[in-house]
Amino acid sequence: MTRTVFLAALFFSVITSLRSQVVSGPMLGPVEYRDAKIWIEVSQQVKSVSIQYKKKGDTKTKTVLF
């Protein structure tokens, strides 16, 4: 439950600055032990989407490009 709340807060804080390019979402789906499903719909002008994350307590971030 704590991981879900943390991920949701992270996504909503990042998306606030991109509101004009986001059509709908982000929506946090099921969170498992090592994965989470994230859904977002962006405007047609957006060519790529990336998600940046890190483990709790870690300073090193990882980026996934879609």
Side-chain angles (χ1 to χ4, degrees), residues 2-62:
T2 304
R3 182 179 285 177
T4 303
V5 173
F6 172 75
L7 287 172
L10 174 67
F11 295 128
F12 288 115
S13 66
V14 169
I15 293 305
T16 303
S17 63
L18 304 174
R19 189 50 72 189
S20 63
Q21 298 173 358
V22 174
V23 175
S24 185
M27 186 172 75
L28 185 60
V31 177
E32 299 292 329
Y33 179 69
R34 292 185 178 233
D35 63 50
K37 297 195 186 280
I38 303 161
W39 179 88
I40 187 168
E41 181 182 0
V42 295
S43 66
Q44 293 180 345
Q45 293 84 12
V46 176
K47 302 298 180 205
S48 66
V49 176
S50 66
I51 297 173
Q52 190 174 48
Y53 67 96
K54 65 179 181 175
K55 290 182 181 180
K56 186 176 181 179
D58 198 355
T59 57
K60 191 180 222 180
T61 61
K62 295 183 181 182

